[in-house]
Amino acid sequence: MDPLFTPLSFSRGPAMKNRFMLAPMTNKQSNLDGTVSDQEISWLLRRARGGFAHIVTCASTVQPCGRGFPGEIGVYDDMHLPGLRKLASALAGAGSVASVQLNHAGIRADSTGRVGPSADAETGARALTVEEIEAVIDSFADAAARAEAAGFHGVQIHGAHGYLIAQFLSRTINRRTDQYGGSLENRSRLLFRVVNAIRRRCGKDFQLGIRISPERYGQDFFDVRETVQRLLDEALIDYLDMSLWNIFKEPDDERAHGKSIMAHFLELDRGPVRVGVAGRIVDPETARACLDAGADYVALGKVAILHGDYPNRVSGDPAFKPRWLPVTPEYLRGQAVGESFIKYLASYMRNFVEGVHPRAGGSGVKSAWTDEQLGLVPVSSK
C-alpha cells in the first residue's frame, strides 16, 4: 500500500485517514470583524472533499490587537462562534480532521497598537507587561475552548514565522530581563504556559499541535532544537508541525551543516508525538521521501492551492505530476480560491499569478509569504 494513504493515529483526537495535511495559509478571505466568510468555508471545504485528511485554518487571532492581516479569522469573541460552527461542521462532514490555528502576531500585527516581548522601533510595538502576558496566555486558552465548543477536533498553536511566540523565543527580539527573557527557559516560558493552559481548559481528547520554524527572526537553531525536544518529551502536544521553507535545505547556522534541517528534527526522540514537515513538497515522490526519512505526515501549501484535490489525484495516479506556477486568476477561481486570496498571492508571491510581479521591498511588517524571499535570515551565535 502507498505509505501516503496509510492512516495515522494520535494520542488524542481522531486519526488522519492519510498522510496529507493542509498547511495553514494566510489568505485574507474572512470578514473584517473576524467572522468566518462563506468564501473561507468554500476554500477549505474544497480541500477536505479533495482528500486532505487534516485541515488547518489560516492563522486565527486570539486577541484583536494580535491580528496579523485584514480578513483573518477571529476566535476571541463569542460572536465568532456561528461561523466557526459552520466551518467545523462542513469539514468534519467531508471526512477531515478540523483544526484552528491560533495566533498572536505580536510586532508583526496589522495594528497601530502592536505589542511584543520588547519595544521595537521598526514596527512601533511596545513591550507587554507581565499582566498582559498573562492575558495573552488566557486568550489562547479561551480561543481553544471556543474552537472546541464550535466542534473542531483540535487547535494548532502558531509558534513559527516570527509571530509572538517565536518573538519571545528570539534572542534578539526578546530583550526582557524578567521571567520571560534572558535564558532559553525564560524565553520559552510563554510557549509552555500556553500549551499547559490549553490542556487544562480543553477536553482530554481535544487534539493539540504546534507549528515551529527553526530559523530566522533572531532564533538560534540549537535553542529551537532544544525547545522542540522538550515539547516532545513532555508530550502535552499530539503533533509537531515543522515549517521548514525547504525540506532539502541545510541550516543557515554553520554549526549545524552536514545534513538538512528536516534530518536534524526527525532524529529527535519524539515518543508518542507525531512530527510532520512542510517546505517545497510538490510531487508525490518528494512526499514519500519525507515519510521514508521519518516524517509522520506532510503539510502542503502552494501545491494545495493549485490542486484542491491533490490527495485524491495522487490516490488515482501515484505518479501524478502537479502543475506549477504561474497560473491565471481564472485557474485559481476554479480551485475555490477567493478574490482576496488571489490579490494577496499576486501582491506577495513572485511569479504566482500570471502576469503580476509584486513590488520589491515593503514595510517592516512583512507577510509570512515573503519570508523565503524578503524575510529576516540571520541566526545568532553562541
Side-chain angles (χ1 to χ4, degrees), residues 17-50:
K17 62 187 177 185
N18 60 45
R19 302 305 177 97
F20 291 108
M21 175 186 283
L22 178 70
M25 287 178 276
T26 299
N27 59 53
K28 295 191 175 184
Q29 289 185 140
S30 278
N31 301 313
L32 291 178
D33 62 0
T35 54
V36 176
S37 69
D38 288 342
Q39 179 58 64
E40 183 74 3
I41 294 173
S42 176
W43 145 258
L44 293 174
L45 183 57
R46 175 68 170 270
R47 274 79 201 156
R49 289 173 173 166

PDB file of all heavy atoms in Angstrom, residues 17-50:
ATOM      1  N   LYS A  17      -6.861   9.937   7.961  1.00  0.00           N
ATOM      2  CA  LYS A  17      -7.121   8.816   7.063  1.00  0.00           C
ATOM      3  C   LYS A  17      -5.992   8.613   6.057  1.00  0.00           C
ATOM      4  O   LYS A  17      -5.877   7.550   5.446  1.00  0.00           O
ATOM      5  CB  LYS A  17      -8.436   9.029   6.326  1.00  0.00           C
ATOM      6  CG  LYS A  17      -8.454  10.259   5.428  1.00  0.00           C
ATOM      7  CD  LYS A  17      -9.840  10.504   4.850  1.00  0.00           C
ATOM      8  CE  LYS A  17      -9.881  11.770   4.014  1.00  0.00           C
ATOM      9  NZ  LYS A  17     -11.245  12.084   3.538  1.00  0.00           N
ATOM     10  N   ASN A  18      -5.163   9.636   5.863  1.00  0.00           N
ATOM     11  CA  ASN A  18      -3.961   9.533   5.039  1.00  0.00           C
ATOM     12  C   ASN A  18      -2.912  10.470   5.617  1.00  0.00           C
ATOM     13  O   ASN A  18      -3.102  10.990   6.720  1.00  0.00           O
ATOM     14  CB  ASN A  18      -4.269   9.828   3.563  1.00  0.00           C
ATOM     15  CG  ASN A  18      -4.839  11.230   3.343  1.00  0.00           C
ATOM     16  OD1 ASN A  18      -4.345  12.210   3.886  1.00  0.00           O
ATOM     17  ND2 ASN A  18      -5.884  11.307   2.530  1.00  0.00           N
ATOM     18  N   ARG A  19      -1.816  10.692   4.925  1.00  0.00           N
ATOM     19  CA  ARG A  19      -0.713  11.464   5.488  1.00  0.00           C
ATOM     20  C   ARG A  19      -0.641  12.893   4.953  1.00  0.00           C
ATOM     21  O   ARG A  19       0.420  13.529   5.037  1.00  0.00           O
ATOM     22  CB  ARG A  19       0.607  10.730   5.218  1.00  0.00           C
ATOM     23  CG  ARG A  19       0.669   9.305   5.772  1.00  0.00           C
ATOM     24  CD  ARG A  19       0.361   9.237   7.258  1.00  0.00           C
ATOM     25  NE  ARG A  19       0.361   7.893   7.774  1.00  0.00           N
ATOM     26  CZ  ARG A  19       1.389   7.315   8.386  1.00  0.00           C
ATOM     27  NH1 ARG A  19       2.521   7.973   8.553  1.00  0.00           N
ATOM     28  NH2 ARG A  19       1.285   6.079   8.844  1.00  0.00           N
ATOM     29  N   PHE A  20      -1.747  13.417   4.445  1.00  0.00           N
ATOM     30  CA  PHE A  20      -1.775  14.767   3.884  1.00  0.00           C
ATOM     31  C   PHE A  20      -2.510  15.730   4.815  1.00  0.00           C
ATOM     32  O   PHE A  20      -3.692  15.544   5.113  1.00  0.00           O
ATOM     33  CB  PHE A  20      -2.477  14.773   2.522  1.00  0.00           C
ATOM     34  CG  PHE A  20      -1.723  14.072   1.436  1.00  0.00           C
ATOM     35  CD1 PHE A  20      -2.166  12.845   0.959  1.00  0.00           C
ATOM     36  CD2 PHE A  20      -0.577  14.630   0.883  1.00  0.00           C
ATOM     37  CE1 PHE A  20      -1.479  12.197  -0.061  1.00  0.00           C
ATOM     38  CE2 PHE A  20       0.120  13.986  -0.133  1.00  0.00           C
ATOM     39  CZ  PHE A  20      -0.331  12.762  -0.600  1.00  0.00           C
ATOM     40  N   MET A  21      -1.798  16.760   5.248  1.00  0.00           N
ATOM     41  CA  MET A  21      -2.392  17.866   5.999  1.00  0.00           C
ATOM     42  C   MET A  21      -2.382  19.105   5.108  1.00  0.00           C
ATOM     43  O   MET A  21      -1.428  19.326   4.360  1.00  0.00           O
ATOM     44  CB  MET A  21      -1.596  18.152   7.279  1.00  0.00           C
ATOM     45  CG  MET A  21      -2.082  19.371   8.072  1.00  0.00           C
ATOM     46  SD  MET A  21      -1.013  19.776   9.482  1.00  0.00           S
ATOM     47  CE  MET A  21      -1.524  18.492  10.657  1.00  0.00           C
ATOM     48  N   LEU A  22      -3.441  19.891   5.172  1.00  0.00           N
ATOM     49  CA  LEU A  22      -3.429  21.188   4.517  1.00  0.00           C
ATOM     50  C   LEU A  22      -2.722  22.168   5.434  1.00  0.00           C
ATOM     51  O   LEU A  22      -3.162  22.419   6.554  1.00  0.00           O
ATOM     52  CB  LEU A  22      -4.846  21.678   4.225  1.00  0.00           C
ATOM     53  CG  LEU A  22      -4.909  23.059   3.568  1.00  0.00           C
ATOM     54  CD1 LEU A  22      -4.393  22.994   2.130  1.00  0.00           C
ATOM     55  CD2 LEU A  22      -6.318  23.629   3.607  1.00  0.00           C
ATOM     56  N   ALA A  23      -1.613  22.720   4.976  1.00  0.00           N
ATOM     57  CA  ALA A  23      -0.861  23.675   5.784  1.00  0.00           C
ATOM     58  C   ALA A  23      -1.682  24.945   5.994  1.00  0.00           C
ATOM     59  O   ALA A  23      -2.427  25.368   5.100  1.00  0.00           O
ATOM     60  CB  ALA A  23       0.456  24.016   5.099  1.00  0.00           C
ATOM     61  N   PRO A  24      -1.570  25.569   7.158  1.00  0.00           N
ATOM     62  CA  PRO A  24      -2.275  26.836   7.388  1.00  0.00           C
ATOM     63  C   PRO A  24      -1.663  27.927   6.520  1.00  0.00           C
ATOM     64  O   PRO A  24      -0.442  28.081   6.469  1.00  0.00           O
ATOM     65  CB  PRO A  24      -2.034  27.103   8.879  1.00  0.00           C
ATOM     66  CG  PRO A  24      -0.771  26.354   9.195  1.00  0.00           C
ATOM     67  CD  PRO A  24      -0.764  25.147   8.310  1.00  0.00           C
ATOM     68  N   MET A  25      -2.517  28.686   5.825  1.00  0.00           N
ATOM     69  CA  MET A  25      -2.022  29.703   4.895  1.00  0.00           C
ATOM     70  C   MET A  25      -2.787  31.010   5.033  1.00  0.00           C
ATOM     71  O   MET A  25      -4.019  31.024   4.973  1.00  0.00           O
ATOM     72  CB  MET A  25      -2.127  29.192   3.452  1.00  0.00           C
ATOM     73  CG  MET A  25      -1.104  28.133   3.098  1.00  0.00           C
ATOM     74  SD  MET A  25      -1.314  27.535   1.409  1.00  0.00           S
ATOM     75  CE  MET A  25      -2.601  26.285   1.660  1.00  0.00           C
ATOM     76  N   THR A  26      -2.041  32.100   5.214  1.00  0.00           N
ATOM     77  CA  THR A  26      -2.630  33.424   5.194  1.00  0.00           C
ATOM     78  C   THR A  26      -3.370  33.627   3.884  1.00  0.00           C
ATOM     79  O   THR A  26      -2.835  33.341   2.817  1.00  0.00           O
ATOM     80  CB  THR A  26      -1.521  34.493   5.319  1.00  0.00           C
ATOM     81  OG1 THR A  26      -0.841  34.320   6.552  1.00  0.00           O
ATOM     82  CG2 THR A  26      -2.100  35.889   5.245  1.00  0.00           C
ATOM     83  N   ASN A  27      -4.618  34.129   3.964  1.00  0.00           N
ATOM     84  CA  ASN A  27      -5.359  34.296   2.719  1.00  0.00           C
ATOM     85  C   ASN A  27      -6.301  35.504   2.679  1.00  0.00           C
ATOM     86  O   ASN A  27      -6.817  35.834   1.615  1.00  0.00           O
ATOM     87  CB  ASN A  27      -6.150  33.021   2.409  1.00  0.00           C
ATOM     88  CG  ASN A  27      -7.132  32.660   3.508  1.00  0.00           C
ATOM     89  OD1 ASN A  27      -7.948  33.464   3.929  1.00  0.00           O
ATOM     90  ND2 ASN A  27      -7.061  31.418   3.977  1.00  0.00           N
ATOM     91  N   LYS A  28      -6.562  36.150   3.798  1.00  0.00           N
ATOM     92  CA  LYS A  28      -7.386  37.364   3.855  1.00  0.00           C
ATOM     93  C   LYS A  28      -8.814  37.157   3.371  1.00  0.00           C
ATOM     94  O   LYS A  28      -9.471  38.093   2.920  1.00  0.00           O
ATOM     95  CB  LYS A  28      -6.736  38.497   3.041  1.00  0.00           C
ATOM     96  CG  LYS A  28      -5.405  38.979   3.584  1.00  0.00           C
ATOM     97  CD  LYS A  28      -4.968  40.252   2.885  1.00  0.00           C
ATOM     98  CE  LYS A  28      -3.698  40.807   3.513  1.00  0.00           C
ATOM     99  NZ  LYS A  28      -3.310  42.091   2.904  1.00  0.00           N
ATOM    100  N   GLN A  29      -9.354  35.946   3.495  1.00  0.00           N
ATOM    101  CA  GLN A  29     -10.654  35.644   2.897  1.00  0.00           C
ATOM    102  C   GLN A  29     -11.842  35.816   3.829  1.00  0.00           C
ATOM    103  O   GLN A  29     -12.980  35.740   3.370  1.00  0.00           O
ATOM    104  CB  GLN A  29     -10.647  34.210   2.340  1.00  0.00           C
ATOM    105  CG  GLN A  29      -9.783  34.048   1.112  1.00  0.00           C
ATOM    106  CD  GLN A  29      -9.872  32.674   0.489  1.00  0.00           C
ATOM    107  OE1 GLN A  29      -9.901  32.521  -0.707  1.00  0.00           O
ATOM    108  NE2 GLN A  29      -9.905  31.637   1.321  1.00  0.00           N
ATOM    109  N   SER A  30     -11.622  36.004   5.125  1.00  0.00           N
ATOM    110  CA  SER A  30     -12.770  36.137   6.012  1.00  0.00           C
ATOM    111  C   SER A  30     -13.152  37.596   6.202  1.00  0.00           C
ATOM    112  O   SER A  30     -12.572  38.500   5.590  1.00  0.00           O
ATOM    113  CB  SER A  30     -12.499  35.423   7.335  1.00  0.00           C
ATOM    114  OG  SER A  30     -12.759  34.035   7.193  1.00  0.00           O
ATOM    115  N   ASN A  31     -14.134  37.842   7.059  1.00  0.00           N
ATOM    116  CA  ASN A  31     -14.683  39.182   7.215  1.00  0.00           C
ATOM    117  C   ASN A  31     -13.818  40.035   8.141  1.00  0.00           C
ATOM    118  O   ASN A  31     -13.064  39.521   8.973  1.00  0.00           O
ATOM    119  CB  ASN A  31     -16.106  39.085   7.749  1.00  0.00           C
ATOM    120  CG  ASN A  31     -17.001  38.284   6.811  1.00  0.00           C
ATOM    121  OD1 ASN A  31     -16.994  38.499   5.606  1.00  0.00           O
ATOM    122  ND2 ASN A  31     -17.756  37.343   7.371  1.00  0.00           N
ATOM    123  N   LEU A  32     -13.944  41.356   8.003  1.00  0.00           N
ATOM    124  CA  LEU A  32     -13.086  42.263   8.758  1.00  0.00           C
ATOM    125  C   LEU A  32     -13.313  42.176  10.263  1.00  0.00           C
ATOM    126  O   LEU A  32     -12.424  42.522  11.042  1.00  0.00           O
ATOM    127  CB  LEU A  32     -13.289  43.705   8.276  1.00  0.00           C
ATOM    128  CG  LEU A  32     -12.763  44.005   6.871  1.00  0.00           C
ATOM    129  CD1 LEU A  32     -13.054  45.453   6.489  1.00  0.00           C
ATOM    130  CD2 LEU A  32     -11.257  43.730   6.788  1.00  0.00           C
ATOM    131  N   ASP A  33     -14.490  41.702  10.683  1.00  0.00           N
ATOM    132  CA  ASP A  33     -14.742  41.551  12.118  1.00  0.00           C
ATOM    133  C   ASP A  33     -14.283  40.192  12.646  1.00  0.00           C
ATOM    134  O   ASP A  33     -14.522  39.851  13.804  1.00  0.00           O
ATOM    135  CB  ASP A  33     -16.225  41.769  12.439  1.00  0.00           C
ATOM    136  CG  ASP A  33     -17.142  40.748  11.768  1.00  0.00           C
ATOM    137  OD1 ASP A  33     -16.638  39.862  11.046  1.00  0.00           O
ATOM    138  OD2 ASP A  33     -18.373  40.840  11.979  1.00  0.00           O
ATOM    139  N   GLY A  34     -13.630  39.402  11.789  1.00  0.00           N
ATOM    140  CA  GLY A  34     -13.107  38.100  12.211  1.00  0.00           C
ATOM    141  C   GLY A  34     -14.078  36.955  12.037  1.00  0.00           C
ATOM    142  O   GLY A  34     -13.722  35.802  12.288  1.00  0.00           O
ATOM    143  N   THR A  35     -15.306  37.242  11.642  1.00  0.00           N
ATOM    144  CA  THR A  35     -16.249  36.149  11.408  1.00  0.00           C
ATOM    145  C   THR A  35     -15.873  35.401  10.129  1.00  0.00           C
ATOM    146  O   THR A  35     -15.376  35.989   9.176  1.00  0.00           O
ATOM    147  CB  THR A  35     -17.689  36.670  11.312  1.00  0.00           C
ATOM    148  OG1 THR A  35     -17.765  37.701  10.325  1.00  0.00           O
ATOM    149  CG2 THR A  35     -18.149  37.228  12.659  1.00  0.00           C
ATOM    150  N   VAL A  36     -16.129  34.103  10.135  1.00  0.00           N
ATOM    151  CA  VAL A  36     -15.776  33.255   9.004  1.00  0.00           C
ATOM    152  C   VAL A  36     -16.691  33.569   7.821  1.00  0.00           C
ATOM    153  O   VAL A  36     -17.910  33.644   7.971  1.00  0.00           O
ATOM    154  CB  VAL A  36     -15.904  31.767   9.390  1.00  0.00           C
ATOM    155  CG1 VAL A  36     -15.629  30.867   8.183  1.00  0.00           C
ATOM    156  CG2 VAL A  36     -14.923  31.425  10.518  1.00  0.00           C
ATOM    157  N   SER A  37     -16.085  33.735   6.648  1.00  0.00           N
ATOM    158  CA  SER A  37     -16.865  34.026   5.448  1.00  0.00           C
ATOM    159  C   SER A  37     -17.233  32.747   4.711  1.00  0.00           C
ATOM    160  O   SER A  37     -16.615  31.694   4.894  1.00  0.00           O
ATOM    161  CB  SER A  37     -16.064  34.932   4.505  1.00  0.00           C
ATOM    162  OG  SER A  37     -14.962  34.209   3.958  1.00  0.00           O
ATOM    163  N   ASP A  38     -18.236  32.844   3.842  1.00  0.00           N
ATOM    164  CA  ASP A  38     -18.590  31.702   3.001  1.00  0.00           C
ATOM    165  C   ASP A  38     -17.436  31.326   2.075  1.00  0.00           C
ATOM    166  O   ASP A  38     -17.253  30.155   1.753  1.00  0.00           O
ATOM    167  CB  ASP A  38     -19.842  32.020   2.178  1.00  0.00           C
ATOM    168  CG  ASP A  38     -21.109  32.064   3.023  1.00  0.00           C
ATOM    169  OD1 ASP A  38     -21.088  31.515   4.152  1.00  0.00           O
ATOM    170  OD2 ASP A  38     -22.110  32.651   2.573  1.00  0.00           O
ATOM    171  N   GLN A  39     -16.645  32.333   1.645  1.00  0.00           N
ATOM    172  CA  GLN A  39     -15.508  32.038   0.774  1.00  0.00           C
ATOM    173  C   GLN A  39     -14.464  31.203   1.515  1.00  0.00           C
ATOM    174  O   GLN A  39     -13.867  30.284   0.943  1.00  0.00           O
ATOM    175  CB  GLN A  39     -14.876  33.330   0.267  1.00  0.00           C
ATOM    176  CG  GLN A  39     -13.665  33.109  -0.638  1.00  0.00           C
ATOM    177  CD  GLN A  39     -13.990  32.265  -1.860  1.00  0.00           C
ATOM    178  OE1 GLN A  39     -14.784  32.677  -2.705  1.00  0.00           O
ATOM    179  NE2 GLN A  39     -13.399  31.082  -1.971  1.00  0.00           N
ATOM    180  N   GLU A  40     -14.243  31.527   2.780  1.00  0.00           N
ATOM    181  CA  GLU A  40     -13.275  30.745   3.564  1.00  0.00           C
ATOM    182  C   GLU A  40     -13.748  29.300   3.696  1.00  0.00           C
ATOM    183  O   GLU A  40     -12.946  28.360   3.575  1.00  0.00           O
ATOM    184  CB  GLU A  40     -13.090  31.373   4.944  1.00  0.00           C
ATOM    185  CG  GLU A  40     -12.052  30.683   5.816  1.00  0.00           C
ATOM    186  CD  GLU A  40     -10.624  30.948   5.391  1.00  0.00           C
ATOM    187  OE1 GLU A  40     -10.412  31.720   4.440  1.00  0.00           O
ATOM    188  OE2 GLU A  40      -9.712  30.367   5.995  1.00  0.00           O
ATOM    189  N   ILE A  41     -15.026  29.127   3.932  1.00  0.00           N
ATOM    190  CA  ILE A  41     -15.574  27.771   4.029  1.00  0.00           C
ATOM    191  C   ILE A  41     -15.437  27.052   2.692  1.00  0.00           C
ATOM    192  O   ILE A  41     -15.023  25.879   2.646  1.00  0.00           O
ATOM    193  CB  ILE A  41     -17.046  27.818   4.482  1.00  0.00           C
ATOM    194  CG1 ILE A  41     -17.136  28.364   5.917  1.00  0.00           C
ATOM    195  CG2 ILE A  41     -17.682  26.431   4.393  1.00  0.00           C
ATOM    196  CD1 ILE A  41     -18.557  28.612   6.404  1.00  0.00           C
ATOM    197  N   SER A  42     -15.735  27.734   1.601  1.00  0.00           N
ATOM    198  CA  SER A  42     -15.635  27.124   0.275  1.00  0.00           C
ATOM    199  C   SER A  42     -14.208  26.687  -0.020  1.00  0.00           C
ATOM    200  O   SER A  42     -13.967  25.573  -0.522  1.00  0.00           O
ATOM    201  CB  SER A  42     -16.115  28.115  -0.783  1.00  0.00           C
ATOM    202  OG  SER A  42     -15.939  27.598  -2.083  1.00  0.00           O
ATOM    203  N   TRP A  43     -13.238  27.542   0.306  1.00  0.00           N
ATOM    204  CA  TRP A  43     -11.820  27.244   0.078  1.00  0.00           C
ATOM    205  C   TRP A  43     -11.375  26.002   0.845  1.00  0.00           C
ATOM    206  O   TRP A  43     -10.748  25.095   0.287  1.00  0.00           O
ATOM    207  CB  TRP A  43     -10.999  28.477   0.460  1.00  0.00           C
ATOM    208  CG  TRP A  43      -9.655  28.246   1.070  1.00  0.00           C
ATOM    209  CD1 TRP A  43      -9.341  28.343   2.401  1.00  0.00           C
ATOM    210  CD2 TRP A  43      -8.444  27.879   0.401  1.00  0.00           C
ATOM    211  NE1 TRP A  43      -8.008  28.070   2.591  1.00  0.00           N
ATOM    212  CE2 TRP A  43      -7.430  27.786   1.381  1.00  0.00           C
ATOM    213  CE3 TRP A  43      -8.116  27.631  -0.926  1.00  0.00           C
ATOM    214  CZ2 TRP A  43      -6.122  27.450   1.087  1.00  0.00           C
ATOM    215  CZ3 TRP A  43      -6.799  27.291  -1.231  1.00  0.00           C
ATOM    216  CH2 TRP A  43      -5.818  27.203  -0.237  1.00  0.00           C
ATOM    217  N   LEU A  44     -11.712  25.942   2.114  1.00  0.00           N
ATOM    218  CA  LEU A  44     -11.277  24.819   2.944  1.00  0.00           C
ATOM    219  C   LEU A  44     -12.083  23.550   2.647  1.00  0.00           C
ATOM    220  O   LEU A  44     -11.528  22.444   2.639  1.00  0.00           O
ATOM    221  CB  LEU A  44     -11.378  25.189   4.422  1.00  0.00           C
ATOM    222  CG  LEU A  44     -10.413  26.287   4.887  1.00  0.00           C
ATOM    223  CD1 LEU A  44     -10.694  26.681   6.337  1.00  0.00           C
ATOM    224  CD2 LEU A  44      -8.958  25.848   4.741  1.00  0.00           C
ATOM    225  N   LEU A  45     -13.372  23.705   2.401  1.00  0.00           N
ATOM    226  CA  LEU A  45     -14.204  22.541   2.110  1.00  0.00           C
ATOM    227  C   LEU A  45     -13.759  21.866   0.814  1.00  0.00           C
ATOM    228  O   LEU A  45     -13.790  20.629   0.711  1.00  0.00           O
ATOM    229  CB  LEU A  45     -15.669  22.952   2.033  1.00  0.00           C
ATOM    230  CG  LEU A  45     -16.689  21.835   1.801  1.00  0.00           C
ATOM    231  CD1 LEU A  45     -16.576  20.762   2.875  1.00  0.00           C
ATOM    232  CD2 LEU A  45     -18.102  22.421   1.766  1.00  0.00           C
ATOM    233  N   ARG A  46     -13.345  22.659  -0.161  1.00  0.00           N
ATOM    234  CA  ARG A  46     -12.838  22.069  -1.407  1.00  0.00           C
ATOM    235  C   ARG A  46     -11.651  21.149  -1.113  1.00  0.00           C
ATOM    236  O   ARG A  46     -11.527  20.068  -1.699  1.00  0.00           O
ATOM    237  CB  ARG A  46     -12.423  23.190  -2.360  1.00  0.00           C
ATOM    238  CG  ARG A  46     -11.755  22.725  -3.659  1.00  0.00           C
ATOM    239  CD  ARG A  46     -12.745  21.999  -4.567  1.00  0.00           C
ATOM    240  NE  ARG A  46     -12.158  21.762  -5.888  1.00  0.00           N
ATOM    241  CZ  ARG A  46     -12.238  22.592  -6.910  1.00  0.00           C
ATOM    242  NH1 ARG A  46     -12.906  23.735  -6.791  1.00  0.00           N
ATOM    243  NH2 ARG A  46     -11.683  22.301  -8.065  1.00  0.00           N
ATOM    244  N   ARG A  47     -10.774  21.530  -0.192  1.00  0.00           N
ATOM    245  CA  ARG A  47      -9.602  20.704   0.147  1.00  0.00           C
ATOM    246  C   ARG A  47     -10.017  19.488   0.968  1.00  0.00           C
ATOM    247  O   ARG A  47      -9.445  18.399   0.806  1.00  0.00           O
ATOM    248  CB  ARG A  47      -8.558  21.534   0.898  1.00  0.00           C
ATOM    249  CG  ARG A  47      -7.607  22.301  -0.027  1.00  0.00           C
ATOM    250  CD  ARG A  47      -8.230  23.561  -0.587  1.00  0.00           C
ATOM    251  NE  ARG A  47      -7.517  23.988  -1.812  1.00  0.00           N
ATOM    252  CZ  ARG A  47      -8.084  24.738  -2.739  1.00  0.00           C
ATOM    253  NH1 ARG A  47      -9.324  25.161  -2.615  1.00  0.00           N
ATOM    254  NH2 ARG A  47      -7.400  25.071  -3.832  1.00  0.00           N
ATOM    255  N   ALA A  48     -10.997  19.644   1.839  1.00  0.00           N
ATOM    256  CA  ALA A  48     -11.475  18.490   2.602  1.00  0.00           C
ATOM    257  C   ALA A  48     -12.092  17.456   1.664  1.00  0.00           C
ATOM    258  O   ALA A  48     -11.808  16.252   1.762  1.00  0.00           O
ATOM    259  CB  ALA A  48     -12.491  18.944   3.650  1.00  0.00           C
ATOM    260  N   ARG A  49     -12.927  17.907   0.748  1.00  0.00           N
ATOM    261  CA  ARG A  49     -13.528  16.991  -0.215  1.00  0.00           C
ATOM    262  C   ARG A  49     -12.489  16.425  -1.182  1.00  0.00           C
ATOM    263  O   ARG A  49     -12.676  15.353  -1.753  1.00  0.00           O
ATOM    264  CB  ARG A  49     -14.624  17.714  -0.999  1.00  0.00           C
ATOM    265  CG  ARG A  49     -15.862  18.002  -0.159  1.00  0.00           C
ATOM    266  CD  ARG A  49     -16.855  18.855  -0.916  1.00  0.00           C
ATOM    267  NE  ARG A  49     -18.113  19.004  -0.173  1.00  0.00           N
ATOM    268  CZ  ARG A  49     -19.046  19.906  -0.461  1.00  0.00           C
ATOM    269  NH1 ARG A  49     -18.859  20.750  -1.484  1.00  0.00           N
ATOM    270  NH2 ARG A  49     -20.153  19.976   0.250  1.00  0.00           N
ATOM    271  N   GLY A  50     -11.380  17.156  -1.340  1.00  0.00           N
ATOM    272  CA  GLY A  50     -10.308  16.711  -2.226  1.00  0.00           C
ATOM    273  C   GLY A  50      -9.374  15.701  -1.614  1.00  0.00           C
ATOM    274  O   GLY A  50      -8.399  15.292  -2.260  1.00  0.00           O
TER     275      GLY A  50
END
